[in-house]
Amino acid sequence: MEESSLELLRKAGKIAAKARDYGAKLIKPGAKVYDICETVEKIIIEEGAKPAFPCNLSINSEAAHYSPLINDEKTIPEGAVVKLDIGAHIDGYITDTAVTVVLDEKFQKLAEAARDALNAAISNFKPGTDLGEIGKNIEKIIKIHGFKPIRNLGGHLIRRYELHAGVFVPNIYERGLGRIIEGNTYAIEPFATNGEGEVIEGKDITIYSIKTLNTKGLTDEEKRFLAEIYKRANMLPFNERWLRDLGEPDYIRQMLKTLVRRGALRAYPILIEVRKGLVSQFEHTVLVTRDGAEIIT
């Protein structure tokens, strides 16, 4: 990566970290999920970046992919385990980071399991290391804490304008995933749970991304709507809140459903722990150097 690109990546990482830390302080019982996410995204924009995906605020057994809708009234419950997962990018150079806030001390160890697993993974994240060994480290630390890693979630390679770039960073030992490559950027994100250790898709969808720009079979109205999404989010994930000036909420939701049905958009259902176990998550974006991993966020 050229030095100018590295500068953009590092700047985006600092902005993401600032927004993450500020947002974490807003997570309190009774706080509106909508207000927290809007504030976090506003910070990212005011600091000179753009959200790389909608702010996720997933509560308790929700592991990922809950982003508030237009006029969302959902609030943070007492004693919750809350994951704040955000991303920032500058000119397509993406950073991705997450933190867990626990509102009851009895869940502190669950949060520590994911955080300690992240630290262990980063300390072993070096060029040439098998990605399966990183999963092995994560799994070991989470189990030492008395919890289970979520086996079907994990980190990912990041490329310009490509959040999930085809390489998986597992939370358990897996074979055949390849080796860590110097110069690449990865998100490492251990998930720990007191449940079964697996997530399933829920029925609700709050996040989408463009699947294809091929407009064959779309009406003129649908083409215009898709073009507006691309203008605002490129190929990155987005939320209906980012389109709220395009019409009434029901109209926007219907257009999104139609474009998913026609194959133009990809939908990301909320991910829920299969046994409704509580879930914690910590995440950093790292740049692989000759000597190891530079934490970007």
Side-chain angles (χ1 to χ4, degrees):
M1 192 181 291
E2 295 181 1
E3 192 59 37
S4 59
S5 301
L6 280 175
E7 287 179 12
L8 294 179
L9 181 71
R10 289 176 176 133
K11 183 179 178 182
K14 288 179 181 178
I15 292 170
K18 179 176 181 177
R20 176 199 65 214
D21 294 345
Y22 189 90
K25 294 175 183 176
L26 301 178
I27 297 173
K28 298 175 182 178
K32 289 180 70 172
V33 171
Y34 182 96
D35 292 342
I36 295 169
C37 287
E38 285 279 302
T39 299
V40 166
E41 292 172 3
K42 185 179 179 183
I43 290 170
I44 291 171
I45 294 167
E46 288 178 344
E47 291 292 323
K50 293 181 180 179
F53 54 87
C55 171
N56 283 221
L57 207 62
S58 305
I59 299 171
N60 292 335
S61 61
E62 297 168 349
H65 295 173
Y66 189 91
S67 191
L69 302 175
I70 298 168
N71 301 325
D72 201 319
E73 294 295 326
K74 186 175 184 178
T75 59
I76 306 292
E78 297 277 350
V81 177
V82 185
K83 285 75 64 184
L84 174 65
D85 189 349
I86 65 168
H89 80 92
I90 300 174
D91 197 23
Y93 293 100
I94 298 167
T95 59
D96 186 359
T97 186
V99 63
T100 293
V101 176
V102 295
L103 300 178
D104 189 319
E105 286 188 5
K106 68 184 178 184
F107 302 127
Q108 191 62 44
K109 288 184 177 180
L110 177 63
E112 289 173 1
R115 187 192 63 203
D116 291 352
L118 174 60
N119 291 336
I122 291 171
S123 67
N124 289 282
F125 216 82
K126 299 173 183 177
T129 300
D130 190 290
L131 284 163
E133 290 300 314
I134 300 301
K136 188 176 182 179
N137 291 331
I138 291 171
E139 182 176 13
K140 177 182 177 182
I141 296 298
I142 291 175
K143 286 184 174 179
I144 285 174
H145 281 73
F147 301 101
K148 293 181 180 179
I150 295 186
R151 54 184 172 267
N152 58 339
L153 286 179
H156 44 95
L157 178 68
I158 299 174
R159 292 196 180 103
R160 191 179 182 196
Y161 281 115
E162 195 173 0
L163 181 60
H164 290 258
V167 176
F168 187 60
V169 183
N171 286 327
I172 61 170
Y173 178 69
E174 291 189 29
R175 298 172 185 249
L177 296 177
R179 296 184 180 276
I180 296 166
I181 298 173
E182 182 180 348
N184 277 355
T185 303
Y186 299 83
I188 311 171
E189 48 182 323
F191 289 81
T193 182
N194 59 4
E196 180 62 29
E198 183 178 351
V199 292
I200 56 173
E201 294 183 348
K203 60 178 173 49
D204 294 327
I205 297 167
T206 66
I207 299 173
Y208 303 83
S209 71
I210 293 177
K211 188 174 182 181
T212 178
L213 291 171
N214 184 345
T215 58
K216 184 178 179 180
L218 300 185
T219 66
D220 288 343
E221 183 181 18
E222 290 160 1
K223 289 175 183 177
R224 286 194 296 269
F225 200 89
L226 186 65
E228 192 62 40
I229 292 170
Y230 181 72
K231 186 168 121 181
R232 299 178 188 208
N234 201 286
M235 303 300 283
L236 294 171
F238 67 92
N239 173 273
E240 66 173 51
R241 288 181 290 110
W242 298 7
L243 310 172
R244 60 188 151 211
D245 60 314
L246 299 182
E248 293 297 320
D250 286 347
Y251 168 77
I252 294 170
R253 288 165 193 159
Q254 187 55 53
M255 288 295 288
L256 293 174
K257 287 179 182 177
T258 299
L259 289 171
V260 169
R261 190 170 63 249
R262 294 190 185 279
L265 295 183
R266 180 182 290 108
Y268 299 91
I270 297 168
L271 300 177
I272 301 169
E273 212 287 323
V274 66
R275 293 280 181 88
K276 297 294 178 70
L278 299 175
V279 178
S280 65
Q281 172 203 19
F282 279 83
E283 179 180 19
H284 273 310
T285 296
V286 300
L287 173 67
V288 181
T289 66
R290 184 185 311 162
D291 301 319
E294 174 189 343
I295 299 174
I296 299 296
T297 53

